[in-house]
Amino acid sequence: MSISQMNFFERVVFLLKTFGKSYVSGAGYTFLIALVGTFFGLVIGFIIGIIQTIPVKKTDPLVKRIVMKIVNYILLAYVEVFRGTPMLVQAMFIYYGFSTLFKINLDYMFAAFFIVSINTGAYMAETVRGGILSIDEGQTEGAQSIGMTHFQTMVYVILPQALRNIMPQIGNNLIINIKDTCVLFAIGVTELFSRAKSVAGAYYTYFEAFTIVLIVYFIMTFICSRVLRLIESKMDGPESYDLATTDTLAYTSGMANYPFKNRRMK
Amino acid sequence: MDSPILEVSHLAKSFGDNLVLSNIDFSVRPKDVTCIIGASGSGKSTLLRCINMLETPSSGNILFHGEDIMRQGFDVPAYRAKVGMVFQNFNLFNNMTVLENCIIGQRSVLKRTKAEAEQIALEFLDKVGMSPYIKAKPKQISGGQKQRVAIARALSMTPEILLFDEPTSALDPQMVGEVLSVMRKLAAEGLTMLVVTHEMAFAKDVSTHVVFMQNGVICEEGSSDDIFVHPQKQETRDFLARFLER
C-alpha cells in the first residue's frame, strides 16, 4: 500500500514505524538542551541575584562602591538585552558572529547549550531577585545577628527559601525552554522540530508529522510539570515531626499544629 | 569594678530629617542586666539595633571592649557573633529545624565541629525547655516556643552580651510567662543582658540597671530602686503611673 492510499491514522503509524527513532532522538536532544539550558540559566540567575543584592552603604570604601556600580550596570545591560531580543535572533547573531568575526565554527550542541543558558539566565536573574526580595527582612537580620556574612546569609538562609518560592517559575522556564528550543533548527541543531520537518518532507506528510511532534512536545512538558510538582512537595518536607522524647505522654501541649490526619496510635 | 563591655557615647541616629536618637550615653559591664524602658517610638529598639549595627548610627561612638565598632575596616560579622540578639519577631530560619537553627551559626561562623555544635545546641535547647522539639520546623511550633528557640540559638554562639528587642511583645500572656522565666533564669546565671521591654515587673525584679527613654533621649537612669521606687523626674513618674493603671 502506497502512502497516498492510507488514511490519516495509517500514515501516522507508518511515520512512527519508519521515523520513530528519529523522533525519539530529536526529543532527546530537545529535552537535553532544555534541561542543561535551564540549569545553567538558573546558576547564572543565582549568581546575578546574589551580586545585585549585595548591600552597598555610603560608608563603604569608594572603590567598592564604584566597582559595584559598574558591575550592576553590566548585569542590567545583560538582562535587558537578552530578555528584550528573540532567542532565534540571538542564536543567529552568536552562531554566525563567531564564524564571521573569529573564524570559529561553534559545535551545534555547544551553541545550543550556550544560547539557551544565557537567554534563560537573563529571565532567571529577575526571577531570583524577586525570590530573594520575597524573603522577610527578618531572616537576613537573624542571620546577621549571629555573625553571618552576606555570602553565608545568602547560601544558608535566603537562597534555600528563595529557591523554594521560585520553583513554579523555574518550572515555567523549563517548559518554555522545551518548546522554544525549536527555534534552534535555524542554526542546524537536530532537535525535535527539525526532525519533524525532515520527516514531513520525506513523504510530504506535513499534517501527520506535525501531529506526532505536537503530541511529543505535550508529553514532555506535561511530565516535566508533574515531576516539578513532586519536587516541590518534597522540598516542603513532612507536615509532622517526631518529638525527641521516649515519654509519649509528655509535651503534648505544643502539638496544636500537629495535623490530626497524620496522628497515628502506636 | 570590671571594665565595661560596651560603652555608648553621644550616640545619635536620624532617619532623613527625623532625629530618633540623640546624645545617648551609657555603658554595660559584665553581668549587668540593663533594661531599657519607655513609650513606643521613644527610640529604644533603634538604640538596640544601632548597637548591633543593624542600623548605622549617624554620629557618636560605640566601643566594644574599648574598640570603636564604627571605624572603617572593623569586622562587623565577628563582632555580631559576640553580641547576640533576640528579636520581637523571633526571626528563626524557616528552612531549618529547631536544632539546625542552633547549629548553623556555630558551624559557619565559629567553625565548631558538628559534634561540638550539636552538644552545645542541645545543652541550651534543654535550658530553654525546647529539647524535645529539635526536629520541628519553626512554622510547626508556637510563638513562645519560637522565642525560646531564638534565645537558645543566640546562646549557642556563647555571646558576651545578649540583646533582647521586645522579646515578648508579639506573644500572648501565657507565652510571655514562659519566655520571661527563661530570661530570669539566664539573668540569675550571670549572663550580661541588655533588654528593651514593656514588662515592668520583669524589669523591676531582674535589672541591675534601668534606662528610661523618652523622645530619643535618656530621660533618667539608675538602679531598679532608683527608677521604679524613687523616680526623680516627672516624665518617669507619669510613664510608670500609666503602666500601673492598666
Side-chain angles (χ1 to χ4, degrees):
Chain A
M1 189 161 56
S2 85
I3 194 133
S4 56
Q5 293 167 303
M6 297 177 185
N7 66 21
F8 173 75
F9 293 103
E10 283 166 341
R11 279 198 288 269
V12 166
V13 172
F14 172 77
L15 288 183
L16 279 175
K17 271 187 191 154
T18 319
F19 299 109
K21 270 192 184 152
S22 182
Y23 274 116
V24 169
S25 88
Y29 279 121
T30 286
F31 189 65
L32 185 68
I33 295 167
L35 208 60
V36 171
T38 308
F39 176 77
F40 283 106
L42 190 61
V43 172
I44 294 170
F46 267 95
I47 292 169
I48 295 178
I50 294 176
I51 295 173
Q52 284 185 331
T53 49
I54 292 174
V56 181
K57 290 194 196 118
K58 280 185 187 152
T59 50
D60 283 332
L62 188 67
V63 180
K64 182 187 168 186
R65 271 155 49 201
I66 291 172
V67 169
M68 284 305 300
K69 198 136 216 171
I70 293 169
V71 168
N72 274 324
Y73 274 124
I74 293 170
L75 295 179
L76 201 66
Y78 160 71
V79 169
E80 293 299 344
V81 167
F82 280 91
R83 263 196 331 181
T85 53
M87 190 157 81
L88 175 60
V89 180
Q90 292 165 17
M92 297 286 203
F93 180 78
I94 290 169
Y95 187 74
Y96 294 112
F98 265 87
S99 73
T100 310
L101 296 178
F102 310 114
K103 308 278 177 247
I104 299 169
N105 277 316
L106 289 178
D107 177 62
Y108 293 127
M109 284 309 279
F110 175 79
F113 291 146
F114 182 71
I115 289 157
V116 178
S117 297
I118 55 172
N119 189 280
T120 310
Y123 284 94
M124 283 291 184
E126 286 296 283
T127 304
V128 171
R129 200 170 65 85
I132 292 172
L133 292 178
S134 75
I135 306 301
D136 178 34
E137 186 69 16
Q139 296 286 306
T140 306
E141 291 186 352
Q144 287 178 342
S145 76
I146 56 172
M148 283 195 196
T149 60
H150 176 72
F151 185 72
Q152 288 170 331
T153 304
M154 280 289 155
V155 170
Y156 297 121
V157 180
I158 306 299
L159 294 183
Q161 297 182 52
L163 180 67
R164 170 64 192 88
N165 286 359
I166 64 173
M167 274 307 281
Q169 190 55 35
I170 293 172
N172 258 345
N173 259 306
L174 178 61
I175 284 166
I176 288 170
N177 279 343
I178 288 174
K179 297 185 300 176
D180 282 5
T181 46
C182 71
V183 304
L184 295 173
F185 88 92
I187 58 165
V189 179
T190 55
E191 43 65 60
L192 185 56
F193 180 72
S194 76
R195 292 296 168 88
K197 266 175 68 90
S198 26
V199 168
Y203 292 96
Y204 298 105
T205 49
Y206 287 91
F207 183 44
E208 293 79 2
F210 286 111
T211 304
I212 295 171
V213 92
L214 188 87
I215 293 167
V216 175
Y217 271 120
F218 180 74
I219 291 171
M220 284 204 289
T221 55
F222 188 71
I223 290 174
C224 279
S225 77
R226 292 295 102 184
V227 168
L228 282 161
R229 279 292 167 90
L230 212 67
I231 294 172
E232 278 184 40
S233 62
K234 267 267 157 26
M235 286 173 91
D236 289 339
E239 278 188 43
S240 57
Y241 59 91
D242 298 322
L243 284 180
T245 170
T246 47
D247 182 356
T248 50
L249 291 176
Y251 310 111
T252 50
S253 64
M255 307 297 283
N257 298 328
Y258 195 76
F260 190 73
K261 62 178 167 137
N262 290 345
R263 214 174 266 180
R264 280 191 298 263
M265 302 301 285
K266 286 213 175 124
Chain B
M1 212 170 178
D2 293 330
S3 61
I5 299 178
L6 266 179
E7 284 171 280
V8 178
S9 56
H10 305 301
L11 190 78
K13 170 73 186 173
S14 53
F15 293 106
D17 292 337
N18 191 8
L19 191 66
V20 288
L21 286 178
S22 61
N23 213 18
I24 303 286
D25 288 282
F26 76 99
S27 57
V28 178
R29 290 172 197 282
K31 304 199 175 186
D32 272 0
V33 177
T34 308
C35 282
I36 304 176
I37 59 172
S40 295
S42 59
K44 312 182 297 295
S45 289
T46 308
L47 172 58
L48 214 59
R49 292 169 61 83
C50 281
I51 291 173
N52 206 14
M53 292 294 276
L54 289 172
E55 303 287 354
T56 312
S58 305
S59 64
N61 283 307
I62 300 172
L63 303 183
F64 180 67
H65 291 299
E67 200 181 351
D68 180 7
I69 70 166
M70 288 187 289
R71 73 174 165 79
Q72 266 195 10
F74 181 78
D75 190 350
V76 175
Y79 161 74
R80 286 189 182 130
K82 293 177 203 155
V83 179
M85 177 108 168
V86 175
F87 298 87
Q88 183 175 349
N89 294 318
F90 331 123
N91 295 349
L92 290 180
F93 306 135
N94 294 326
N95 56 325
M96 300 180 199
T97 64
V98 164
L99 184 64
E100 286 163 350
N101 260 284
C102 298
I103 286 176
I104 185 69
Q106 300 187 61
R107 297 277 288 141
S108 63
V109 179
L110 302 179
K111 312 288 179 207
R112 286 179 182 153
T113 64
K114 189 161 184 277
E116 191 189 358
E118 258 183 45
Q119 193 201 332
I120 292 169
L122 285 171
E123 181 191 321
F124 287 114
L125 282 168
D126 197 45
K127 179 168 280 178
V128 300
M130 284 302 291
S131 54
Y133 297 92
I134 54 173
K135 289 179 189 163
K137 287 275 184 76
K139 68 173 177 187
Q140 293 166 322
I141 57 180
S142 73
Q145 292 175 326
K146 280 183 204 171
Q147 195 58 298
R148 287 187 279 149
V149 173
I151 293 172
R153 177 177 73 180
L155 289 172
S156 296
M157 301 296 287
T158 44
E160 293 179 38
I161 173 169
L162 197 46
L163 315 177
F164 292 81
D165 185 10
E166 301 193 28
T168 57
S169 295
L171 302 173
D172 71 33
Q174 186 205 335
M175 293 174 182
V176 168
E178 68 191 48
V179 171
L180 288 184
S181 75
V182 167
M183 290 170 66
R184 281 173 199 272
K185 196 155 88 177
L186 295 174
E189 286 172 8
L191 179 72
T192 311
M193 293 157 65
L194 182 56
V195 186
V196 168
T197 187
H198 290 294
E199 297 294 330
M200 293 305 143
F202 171 82
K204 188 178 177 193
D205 290 354
V206 176
S207 305
T208 56
H209 191 76
V210 180
V211 175
F212 170 64
M213 286 183 65
Q214 193 169 43
N215 299 329
V217 294
I218 292 178
C219 183
E220 187 170 356
E221 64 177 316
S223 70
S224 178
D225 266 9
D226 291 342
I227 300 294
F228 288 104
V229 187
H230 311 292
Q232 301 299 310
K233 295 251 177 82
Q234 190 56 42
E235 292 92 332
T236 316
R237 288 191 207 122
D238 289 348
F239 174 75
L240 292 173
R242 257 179 288 144
F243 264 90
L244 290 176
E245 278 166 17
R246 289 201 309 186

